[in-house]
Amino acid sequence: MNISAKYSNLKHWKTECTAVFLPKNYDQPTWLSELQEIFGNTIDKLVKSKEFGCEEEASVLLFGNAKTNSKRIVLVGLGEIKNFEWDTLRKAAAKAIKTVQLAGIEKCAFAFPGFLVKENFAEERVAQCLVEGAMLASYYYEHYQTDKTAKKTAVEELTLVTESSPRDAVHDGIETARIVCEAVNFARDLGNAPGNELPPRELADRAASMCRRHKIKCSIFNETKIKSLKMNGILAVAQGSSEPPRLIVMEYRPAKAKNHRPIVLVGKGLTFDSGGISIKPAADMDRMKFDMCGGAAVIGIMQAVADLKLPVYLVGIVPSSENLTGSKAYKPGDVLTMYSGKTVEILNTDAEGRLILADALAYAQKYKPETIIDYATLTGHVVIALGMHGAGMMGTDEGMKQRLMMASQFTSEKIWELPLWKEYDRQIKSHIADIKNVGGRPAGAITAAAFLKHFVGDYPWVHLDIAGTANTEEETAYTGKISATGFGIRLTVEALQRLVTNND
Ligand code: BES
Ligand code: ZN
Ligand code: ZN
C-alpha cells in the first residue's frame, strides 16, 4: 500500500472514496462544515440518527455529488471523545478500509481528524494509528486462493488529506506505521503458512532472506551443528519428524546502539505441534501450525527494528522443530540432558515448547544479555486464564515488564502479569532428573514459566505466553478469521522505542 499525506479539502480532493472520522456529541469536528456544504442537512440527520449517530464502529457510505470530487464518502463513528483510546482510531481506520475493499476500490483517502490534535492527542500518533488500522485490516492470507474472484481487493493507495500542509509529525507517523505493519504482516504470512509449506528449514530460509534484505547478521544452525552443541531439547522434539530442526540466530548491532549488552529475544518456532506421542485430539489440531508465532514475532521485530534504524543492540533467537510421532520420536519417561547441562524428565511430549526454548534461552546467556524476552504459544492454560484477549506475562525484569505494560496501553496488545512465586517450583521437581517438563493442572501457565526460569541463569527476563493471542478464531477489527495476528511485534517495537528515547 502506497501511503502519503497531502493538503486538500473534501470538495477538491479527487478520489474514489474518502473516509471522514466523526466523534459523537462534539461541537465542531474537522470536516463537518464541509460535509454540510456538500450534503446539506442529510449530514445533521445522520449524525443524530440511530443508524449512525457517530457511534464507535458505526459507518455509513454516501455517494458523492457535484459539490465534491470524491466519488464516495464514508462516515466512520469514533464514539464519545471521553472514551477515546488509540485503538478506537485503528478500528475506525480498519472499518473504513474494509468498506473500501468491499466496494472493490483501489485508491482512497482518509480525511485527517485534526480535532484530535486540538484535544491534545499527538499528531504523529494519530497518523500512525490511522495507517496501522488500514494496513493491518487490509491484510488477508490469500496465497492458496486460486479463484481470483474470491480475493479481496488490495487497496493500493491511501492518502491522508490534511487541513493544512502536513507537518513532519504526520509523515513520521505514517513511516513508523508502514515499517511496523510490514513486519507484522510478514510475521502473519509466516504464521498463516501451512505446516507443509513451512517446516523449520523454510522458516529459517525466510528469516535469512529477510535478514539479507535488512542487513541483519544471520546464522542458521543446521541439525549437525545443533547436535555438536548438544542442544538436546531442540533435537528430542524434532526426533519424531523427518524434518530436521533449525536454530535461527539474528544479530542487529547498529554503531550508535545505546546498550552495550544486547537485548535478546527468543521465540518458540514449532512449525507444527501434533503433541508427539502424547498426541493432541484431532479437533482443531490444524491450529498447531500457529505454534511458531512466537518465532515469527521475533523475526518480525528484528525486521521492524532494523528498518526503523533504532539505536538498540538486539539479538533474535528462534529454535525451530516439528513435533510428530515418528518411530524415533521422544517418549514419556525419557530423560534429556539439555544444552545447559540440566536434566529433564519427559512426562508429556506435548510440553515441547519449553524444551526447545530451554536450549535457546541457555544459548542466549552467551551474549551476557541486558535482558531476555521470550515469546511463545506455550500453554493452553494461559487461554483458560485470559482467553484470547491477552497474553500472560511472567518474569524477573521489573523495568521491562513495566515498559511492556505501558507500550501495551498504546498498541492495545493486551498483557497481564501472572505471579512467578517460588512456591510453584515444587510442581516441576522430578524424582529421577533435575526437573520434569510438566507440573500438573494447577497454574499450568506459571509452571511452564517456572520451567523456563531454570534456563535463563541470573539474567533479567520476561516471558510472554501468547497462546491465546497469536491467532484468532473469529475475524476482529483488524485481523482476519483463523489468522495469525503478529501479536508482540507492535508491542515490543513500542517498548524498545520508549527504551531508547528514555520516554518511559
Ligand atoms: N502449543 C501448545 C500450547 C497451545 C495450546 C497453544 C492451545 C495454542 C493453543 C503447547 O505445546 C502444549 O501443547 N502445551 C500443553 C502443555 C501441557 C502438556 C503441560 C498444554 O497447554 O496443554
Ligand atoms: Zn505441545
Ligand atoms: Zn506447542
Side-chain angles (χ1 to χ4, degrees):
M1 193 186 288
N2 202 333
I3 307 161
S4 57
K6 299 254 162 57
Y7 162 46
S8 187
N9 57 37
L10 296 185
K11 292 182 214 155
H12 297 131
W13 185 254
K14 201 168 170 195
T15 180
E16 293 287 325
C17 185
T18 305
V20 185
F21 302 95
L22 295 174
K24 188 179 165 74
N25 296 335
Y26 190 86
D27 264 2
Q28 269 304 311
T30 332
W31 313 106
L32 183 66
S33 55
E34 260 196 284
L35 285 172
Q36 285 162 333
E37 282 171 40
I38 297 167
F39 295 108
N41 66 0
T42 312
I43 289 298
D44 302 285
K45 283 187 203 151
L46 275 171
V47 161
K48 293 193 185 106
S49 71
K50 256 195 163 161
E51 295 90 331
F52 176 60
C54 305
E55 298 289 352
E56 208 180 326
E57 299 189 31
S59 69
V60 59
L61 180 66
L62 302 168
F63 284 88
N65 55 31
K67 293 183 186 160
T68 173
N69 276 332
S70 258
K71 284 198 191 153
R72 300 171 186 78
I73 291 188
V74 56
L75 308 181
V76 185
L78 292 175
E80 301 251 9
I81 200 88
K82 67 173 174 3
N83 300 328
F84 180 84
E85 298 174 356
W86 288 115
D87 219 38
T88 311
L89 207 51
R90 289 190 198 94
K91 286 180 184 161
K95 188 97 194 176
I97 218 78
K98 283 185 182 176
T99 311
V100 166
Q101 272 184 329
L102 214 62
I105 299 165
E106 286 165 4
K107 290 180 186 170
C108 68
F110 285 177
F112 193 81
F115 72 93
L116 285 170
V117 182
K118 291 195 193 95
E119 290 284 336
N120 285 325
F121 293 100
E123 194 166 23
E124 182 173 346
R125 295 301 213 175
V126 173
Q128 185 182 345
C129 289
L130 286 173
V131 174
E132 284 180 358
M135 282 187 72
L136 297 178
S138 55
Y139 171 90
Y140 284 91
Y141 185 71
E142 294 180 317
H143 191 74
Y144 289 97
Q145 290 286 3
T146 60
D147 177 3
K148 295 247 176 342
T149 57
K151 291 196 186 193
K152 301 268 192 316
T153 307
V155 180
E156 273 159 18
E157 202 175 290
L158 169 64
T159 311
L160 302 192
V161 175
T162 52
E163 299 158 274
S164 54
S165 183
R167 279 179 282 271
D168 284 350
V170 174
H171 294 298
D172 291 350
I174 292 176
E175 189 59 2
T176 305
R178 187 190 60 74
I179 289 174
V180 175
C181 293
E182 270 175 13
V184 172
N185 288 341
F186 170 52
R188 286 174 169 185
D189 271 346
L190 295 175
N192 289 329
N196 60 338
E197 178 190 319
L198 196 100
R201 285 177 292 120
E202 180 66 18
L203 181 64
D205 284 354
R206 291 194 197 180
S209 67
M210 178 284 286
C211 287
R212 268 195 300 279
R213 282 198 306 279
H214 294 275
K215 302 193 173 52
I216 298 167
K217 195 176 146 198
C218 179
S219 322
I220 306 293
F221 297 5
N222 63 14
E223 195 174 15
T224 316
K225 170 90 177 171
I226 296 171
K227 273 187 181 150
S228 74
L229 289 170
K230 300 198 178 67
M231 292 181 156
N232 292 325
I234 298 174
L235 290 166
V237 174
Q239 244 167 250
S241 165
S242 58
E243 287 293 348
R246 291 286 185 266
L247 183 78
I248 306 163
V249 182
M250 297 160 284
E251 214 174 313
Y252 169 69
R253 191 174 195 173
K256 288 187 187 140
K258 298 229 164 140
N259 50 334
H260 296 295
R261 295 187 293 137
I263 293 172
V264 179
L265 312 178
V266 176
K268 173 175 172 181
L270 251 296
T271 59
F272 186 71
D273 177 15
S274 72
I277 298 296
S278 316
I279 196 163
K280 287 180 180 296
D284 293 340
M285 202 204 269
D286 60 293
R287 307 291 200 272
M288 285 300 128
K289 71 171 186 178
F290 294 122
D291 215 17
M292 35 56 69
C293 283
V298 169
I299 296 167
I301 296 163
M302 296 303 297
Q303 168 172 324
V305 167
D307 220 354
L308 288 167
K309 300 191 174 55
L310 284 191
V312 57
Y313 177 17
L314 196 65
V315 172
I317 305 179
V318 179
S320 182
S321 301
E322 186 179 55
N323 189 18
L324 295 184
T325 58
S327 62
K328 291 188 180 152
Y330 79 131
K331 309 170 289 295
D334 287 0
V335 175
L336 309 179
T337 303
M338 309 293 279
Y339 171 70
S340 74
K342 280 203 180 165
T343 55
V344 176
E345 178 190 12
I346 303 302
L347 287 179
N348 189 320
T349 62
D350 198 10
E352 82 302 331
R354 61 197 77 183
L355 301 173
I356 69 165
L357 286 170
D359 283 348
L361 291 168
Y363 186 78
Q365 292 185 41
K366 143 182 146 68
Y367 291 92
K368 299 193 175 20
E370 184 172 302
T371 190
I372 304 174
I373 312 175
D374 78 74
Y375 308 76
T377 47
L378 202 60
T379 67
H381 304 88
V382 86
V383 192
I384 303 296
L386 302 173
M388 316 268 299
H389 301 297
M393 176 168 72
M394 287 146 269
T396 54
D397 186 341
E398 299 305 324
M400 188 53 87
K401 279 191 288 190
Q402 216 176 2
R403 197 172 291 113
L404 285 166
M405 211 48 149
M406 308 247 288
S408 124
Q409 275 162 22
F410 172 67
T411 67
S412 268
E413 293 166 288
K414 294 183 174 52
I415 51 178
W416 196 255
E417 185 169 6
L418 301 175
L420 244 191
W421 299 317
K422 64 179 184 327
E423 282 77 0
Y424 295 107
D425 292 340
R426 255 193 46 198
Q427 282 176 243
I428 53 166
K429 284 218 166 97
S430 161
H431 73 284
I432 180 171
D434 296 335
I435 46 175
K436 56 187 180 185
N437 80 329
V438 289
R441 272 165 60 90
I446 297 174
T447 52
F451 181 95
L452 298 179
K453 197 172 68 177
H454 279 270
F455 299 92
V456 293
D458 290 327
Y459 291 101
W461 155 73
V462 182
H463 159 62
L464 293 170
D465 191 336
I466 61 169
T469 52
N471 56 281
T472 55
E473 281 301 312
E474 295 307 323
E475 181 165 344
T476 68
Y478 46 85
T479 318
K481 187 181 165 82
I482 315 181
S483 172
T485 57
F487 185 97
I489 299 175
R490 291 186 298 114
L491 174 75
T492 309
V493 172
E494 176 67 28
L496 293 175
Q497 274 171 327
R498 281 163 187 262
L499 181 76
V500 295
T501 55
N502 296 322
N503 194 10
D504 52 339

